[in-house]
Amino acid sequence: MRFDIITLFPELFAPFLASGVTRRAYAGGQVDVRLWNPRDQAEGNYRRVDDRPFGGGPGMVMLAEPLARCLAAIRAERAEPAEGQAPLVLFSPIGAALNHAAVERWSASTGAVLLCGRYEGIDQRFIDAHVDLQISLGDFVLSGGEIAAMALLDAVARLQPGVLNDEGSHQLDSFNPALDGLLDCPHYTRPEEWAGQAVPAALMSGHHAQIERWRRDQRLAVTVRHRPDLIAAARQAGRITPADEAVLAKLR
Protein backbone atom coordinates (compact mmCIF):
# COMPACT_ATOMS: atom_id res chain seq x y z
CA MET A 1 0.00 0.00 0.00
CA ARG A 2 1.48 3.32 -1.06
CA PHE A 3 0.38 6.85 -0.20
CA ASP A 4 2.01 9.79 -1.98
CA ILE A 5 1.34 13.02 -0.10
CA ILE A 6 1.47 16.42 -1.79
CA THR A 7 2.18 18.97 0.92
CA LEU A 8 3.91 22.31 1.38
CA PHE A 9 4.97 21.16 4.86
CA PRO A 10 6.50 17.67 4.58
CA GLU A 11 8.38 18.24 7.84
CA LEU A 12 5.09 17.89 9.73
CA PHE A 13 4.99 14.18 8.90
CA ALA A 14 8.42 13.20 10.26
CA PRO A 15 7.46 12.80 13.95
CA PHE A 16 4.09 11.30 13.00
CA LEU A 17 5.68 8.53 10.93
CA ALA A 18 8.18 7.72 13.70
CA SER A 19 5.80 7.61 16.68
CA GLY A 20 3.24 5.28 18.21
CA VAL A 21 2.28 1.73 17.32
CA THR A 22 1.48 2.69 13.73
CA ARG A 23 5.15 3.42 13.08
CA ARG A 24 5.51 -0.36 12.56
CA ALA A 25 3.37 -0.10 9.45
CA TYR A 26 5.56 2.68 8.02
CA ALA A 27 8.92 1.26 9.13
CA GLY A 28 8.03 -2.19 7.86
CA GLY A 29 6.77 -0.94 4.52
CA GLN A 30 3.20 -2.18 4.95
CA VAL A 31 2.17 1.42 4.37
CA ASP A 32 4.66 3.18 2.12
CA VAL A 33 4.46 6.96 2.58
CA ARG A 34 6.24 9.33 0.19
CA LEU A 35 6.20 13.09 0.55
CA TRP A 36 6.16 15.58 -2.32
CA ASN A 37 6.50 19.35 -2.02
CA PRO A 38 4.93 21.25 -4.94
CA ARG A 39 7.38 24.07 -4.23
CA ASP A 40 10.04 21.81 -5.76
CA GLN A 41 8.09 22.01 -9.02
CA ALA A 42 7.52 25.78 -8.91
CA GLU A 43 9.37 28.25 -11.12
CA GLY A 44 11.24 31.47 -10.40
CA ASN A 45 13.60 32.54 -7.64
CA TYR A 46 10.87 32.41 -5.01
CA ARG A 47 9.40 29.04 -6.02
CA ARG A 48 5.95 30.56 -5.81
CA VAL A 49 3.05 28.18 -5.28
CA ASP A 50 0.22 30.64 -4.62
CA ASP A 51 -1.26 33.90 -5.87
CA ARG A 52 -4.11 36.31 -5.19
CA PRO A 53 -7.60 35.17 -6.18
CA PHE A 54 -9.29 36.64 -9.25
CA GLY A 55 -12.24 38.74 -8.18
CA GLY A 56 -10.49 39.90 -5.04
CA GLY A 57 -11.03 38.73 -1.51
CA PRO A 58 -8.84 37.61 1.38
CA GLY A 59 -6.10 35.01 1.31
CA MET A 60 -4.21 33.29 -1.45
CA VAL A 61 -4.98 30.41 -3.81
CA MET A 62 -2.64 27.52 -4.62
CA LEU A 63 -1.47 27.63 -8.25
CA ALA A 64 -2.50 24.83 -10.61
CA GLU A 65 0.78 24.50 -12.51
CA PRO A 66 3.14 23.47 -9.66
CA LEU A 67 0.53 20.97 -8.48
CA ALA A 68 0.18 19.55 -11.99
CA ARG A 69 3.94 19.11 -12.32
CA CYS A 70 4.11 17.50 -8.88
CA LEU A 71 1.32 15.08 -9.77
CA ALA A 72 3.01 14.24 -13.07
CA ALA A 73 6.23 13.38 -11.21
CA ILE A 74 4.29 11.11 -8.87
CA ARG A 75 2.51 9.38 -11.75
CA ALA A 76 5.84 8.84 -13.50
CA GLU A 77 7.43 7.30 -10.43
CA ARG A 78 4.42 5.08 -9.69
CA ALA A 79 4.46 3.93 -13.35
CA GLU A 80 0.83 2.82 -13.22
CA PRO A 81 -1.31 2.12 -16.27
CA ALA A 82 -3.73 4.94 -17.03
CA GLU A 83 -6.75 2.79 -16.23
CA GLY A 84 -5.28 1.70 -12.89
CA GLN A 85 -3.94 4.96 -11.50
CA ALA A 86 -4.15 5.59 -7.79
CA PRO A 87 -6.93 8.09 -7.05
CA LEU A 88 -6.03 11.68 -6.23
CA VAL A 89 -7.74 12.60 -2.95
CA LEU A 90 -8.25 16.18 -1.80
CA PHE A 91 -9.08 16.95 1.82
CA SER A 92 -11.87 19.49 1.60
CA PRO A 93 -14.96 20.70 3.51
CA ILE A 94 -17.19 19.62 0.63
CA GLY A 95 -16.03 16.01 0.78
CA ALA A 96 -17.87 13.11 2.38
CA ALA A 97 -17.03 12.70 6.06
CA LEU A 98 -14.47 9.98 6.75
CA ASN A 99 -15.96 7.05 8.67
CA HIS A 100 -15.05 3.52 9.71
CA ALA A 101 -16.46 1.88 6.59
CA ALA A 102 -14.37 4.16 4.38
CA VAL A 103 -11.26 3.47 6.46
CA GLU A 104 -11.79 -0.27 6.04
CA ARG A 105 -12.04 0.18 2.28
CA TRP A 106 -8.84 2.21 2.21
CA SER A 107 -7.06 -0.36 4.40
CA ALA A 108 -7.74 -3.00 1.75
CA SER A 109 -6.70 -0.78 -1.16
CA THR A 110 -3.34 -0.19 -2.84
CA GLY A 111 -3.25 3.43 -1.66
CA ALA A 112 -3.74 6.87 -3.17
CA VAL A 113 -2.24 10.28 -3.81
CA LEU A 114 -3.27 12.63 -1.01
CA LEU A 115 -3.40 16.37 -1.70
CA CYS A 116 -3.11 18.67 1.31
CA GLY A 117 -4.53 22.07 0.45
CA ARG A 118 -3.49 25.33 2.10
CA TYR A 119 -4.50 29.00 2.13
CA GLU A 120 -7.99 29.78 0.76
CA GLY A 121 -7.93 26.70 -1.44
CA ILE A 122 -6.71 25.33 -4.77
CA ASP A 123 -7.33 26.64 -8.28
CA GLN A 124 -10.59 24.96 -9.27
CA ARG A 125 -9.24 24.09 -12.69
CA PHE A 126 -6.73 21.69 -11.14
CA ILE A 127 -9.47 20.14 -9.01
CA ASP A 128 -11.73 19.67 -12.03
CA ALA A 129 -8.95 18.14 -14.10
CA HIS A 130 -7.30 15.82 -11.60
CA VAL A 131 -9.08 15.26 -8.28
CA ASP A 132 -10.98 11.96 -8.07
CA LEU A 133 -12.33 12.13 -4.54
CA GLN A 134 -12.75 14.68 -1.74
CA ILE A 135 -12.76 13.77 1.95
CA SER A 136 -13.68 15.78 5.06
CA LEU A 137 -13.01 15.11 8.73
CA GLY A 138 -16.14 17.00 9.77
CA ASP A 139 -17.93 20.32 9.71
CA PHE A 140 -14.97 22.52 10.61
CA VAL A 141 -12.01 24.02 8.79
CA LEU A 142 -8.32 23.24 9.35
CA SER A 143 -5.41 25.42 8.28
CA GLY A 144 -4.30 22.68 5.90
CA GLY A 145 -4.93 19.11 4.83
CA GLU A 146 -1.93 17.64 6.63
CA ILE A 147 -3.80 16.76 9.83
CA ALA A 148 -6.55 15.13 7.78
CA ALA A 149 -3.97 13.12 5.84
CA MET A 150 -2.39 11.95 9.10
CA ALA A 151 -5.81 10.93 10.40
CA LEU A 152 -6.43 8.78 7.34
CA LEU A 153 -2.93 7.27 7.44
CA ASP A 154 -3.20 6.44 11.14
CA ALA A 155 -6.64 4.88 10.79
CA VAL A 156 -5.51 2.77 7.83
CA ALA A 157 -2.14 1.78 9.30
CA ARG A 158 -3.57 0.38 12.55
CA LEU A 159 -5.75 -2.03 10.55
CA GLN A 160 -2.76 -3.64 8.84
CA PRO A 161 -1.82 -7.14 10.10
CA GLY A 162 0.79 -7.13 12.85
CA VAL A 163 0.67 -3.40 13.55
CA LEU A 164 -1.27 -3.67 16.80
CA ASN A 165 0.03 -5.98 19.52
CA ASP A 166 -3.32 -7.74 19.75
CA GLU A 167 -4.49 -8.75 16.27
CA GLY A 168 -8.15 -8.60 17.28
CA SER A 169 -8.09 -5.38 19.28
CA HIS A 170 -9.28 -3.14 16.45
CA GLN A 171 -12.35 -5.35 16.02
CA LEU A 172 -13.58 -4.01 19.36
CA ASP A 173 -13.20 -0.39 18.31
CA SER A 174 -16.16 1.94 18.20
CA PHE A 175 -18.09 1.77 14.89
CA ASN A 176 -16.67 -1.67 14.01
CA PRO A 177 -19.16 -4.12 12.46
CA ALA A 178 -17.99 -6.66 15.06
CA LEU A 179 -19.72 -4.41 17.62
CA ASP A 180 -22.69 -3.92 15.28
CA GLY A 181 -21.52 -0.37 14.63
CA LEU A 182 -22.03 0.71 18.25
CA LEU A 183 -19.71 2.79 20.42
CA ASP A 184 -17.32 0.91 22.66
CA CYS A 185 -17.97 0.33 26.35
CA PRO A 186 -16.07 1.88 29.31
CA HIS A 187 -12.79 0.24 30.36
CA TYR A 188 -11.15 -0.19 33.77
CA THR A 189 -7.76 -1.30 35.12
CA ARG A 190 -5.88 -1.41 38.45
CA PRO A 191 -6.42 -0.46 41.23
CA GLU A 192 -9.78 -2.12 41.93
CA GLU A 193 -10.86 0.98 43.83
CA TRP A 194 -9.81 4.54 43.01
CA ALA A 195 -11.07 7.83 44.42
CA GLY A 196 -13.86 5.99 46.20
CA GLN A 197 -15.09 4.27 43.03
CA ALA A 198 -14.88 0.52 42.51
CA VAL A 199 -14.58 -1.41 39.28
CA PRO A 200 -18.03 -2.71 38.23
CA ALA A 201 -18.71 -6.05 39.91
CA ALA A 202 -19.46 -7.81 36.61
CA LEU A 203 -15.90 -7.23 35.41
CA MET A 204 -14.53 -8.79 38.60
CA SER A 205 -16.80 -11.83 38.45
CA GLY A 206 -14.65 -13.98 36.18
CA HIS A 207 -17.87 -15.09 34.49
CA HIS A 208 -17.34 -14.69 30.75
CA ALA A 209 -20.99 -14.53 29.72
CA GLN A 210 -21.77 -12.03 32.48
CA ILE A 211 -18.83 -9.85 31.46
CA GLU A 212 -19.86 -9.89 27.81
CA ARG A 213 -23.47 -9.04 28.68
CA TRP A 214 -22.30 -6.13 30.85
CA ARG A 215 -20.12 -4.83 28.01
CA ARG A 216 -22.95 -5.15 25.51
CA ASP A 217 -25.33 -3.33 27.85
CA GLN A 218 -22.80 -0.56 28.35
CA ARG A 219 -22.23 -0.22 24.61
CA LEU A 220 -25.96 0.17 24.13
CA ALA A 221 -26.19 2.72 26.95
CA VAL A 222 -23.23 4.79 25.73
CA THR A 223 -24.44 4.72 22.13
CA VAL A 224 -28.07 5.63 22.83
CA ARG A 225 -26.86 8.52 25.02
CA HIS A 226 -24.27 9.95 22.65
CA ARG A 227 -25.08 8.63 19.15
CA PRO A 228 -28.69 7.46 18.93
CA ASP A 229 -28.37 7.47 15.15
CA LEU A 230 -26.06 4.45 15.43
CA ILE A 231 -28.74 2.58 17.39
CA ALA A 232 -31.24 3.35 14.65
CA ALA A 233 -28.83 2.11 11.98
CA ALA A 234 -28.09 -1.09 13.90
CA ARG A 235 -31.80 -1.69 14.42
CA GLN A 236 -32.51 -1.17 10.73
CA ALA A 237 -29.75 -3.66 9.86
CA GLY A 238 -31.31 -6.24 12.21
CA ARG A 239 -28.39 -6.14 14.66
CA ILE A 240 -30.38 -5.24 17.78
CA THR A 241 -31.56 -8.40 19.56
CA PRO A 242 -34.64 -8.77 21.79
CA ALA A 243 -32.30 -8.76 24.80
CA ASP A 244 -30.82 -5.49 23.52
CA GLU A 245 -34.28 -4.01 23.12
CA ALA A 246 -35.09 -4.86 26.73
CA VAL A 247 -31.97 -2.98 27.83
CA LEU A 248 -32.81 -0.01 25.65
CA ALA A 249 -36.38 0.10 26.98
CA LYS A 250 -35.01 0.57 30.50
CA LEU A 251 -32.84 3.45 29.32
CA ARG A 252 -35.69 5.54 27.94
Side-chain angles (χ1 to χ4, degrees), residues 48-60:
R48 193 165 189 172
V49 294
D50 63 304
D51 209 332
R52 296 186 179 280
F54 283 120
M60 306 290 276

Side-chain angles (χ1 to χ4, degrees), residues 55-154:
M60 306 290 276
V61 177
M62 291 184 72
L63 296 165
E65 191 57 36
L67 292 174
R69 292 196 193 101
C70 190
L71 180 60
I74 293 171
R75 297 294 190 206
E77 185 176 288
R78 291 182 73 110
E80 299 166 320
E83 64 276 8
Q85 287 184 340
L88 175 59
V89 178
L90 172 63
F91 296 101
S92 161
I94 73 171
L98 187 65
N99 58 23
H100 181 80
V103 169
E104 284 196 321
R105 289 194 297 271
W106 282 114
S107 71
S109 75
T110 57
V113 181
L114 307 181
L115 174 54
C116 302
R118 280 274 164 175
Y119 314 124
E120 287 299 306
I122 294 169
D123 191 307
Q124 187 65 39
R125 291 168 294 185
F126 178 84
I127 296 174
D128 292 342
H130 297 291
V131 170
D132 300 297
L133 179 67
Q134 300 192 51
I135 294 177
S136 170
L137 290 190
D139 295 342
F140 57 93
V141 176
L142 296 166
S143 58
E146 286 77 12
I147 292 175
M150 291 178 198
L152 176 61
L153 289 173
D154 184 83

Side-chain angles (χ1 to χ4, degrees), residues 3 13 47 51 53 82 106 119 162 171 176 185 204 215 228 246 251:
F3 286 95
F13 290 85
R47 298 286 183 178
D51 209 332
W106 282 114
Y119 314 124
Q171 295 179 3
N176 197 293
C185 63
M204 305 298 294
R215 286 175 172 164
L251 296 172

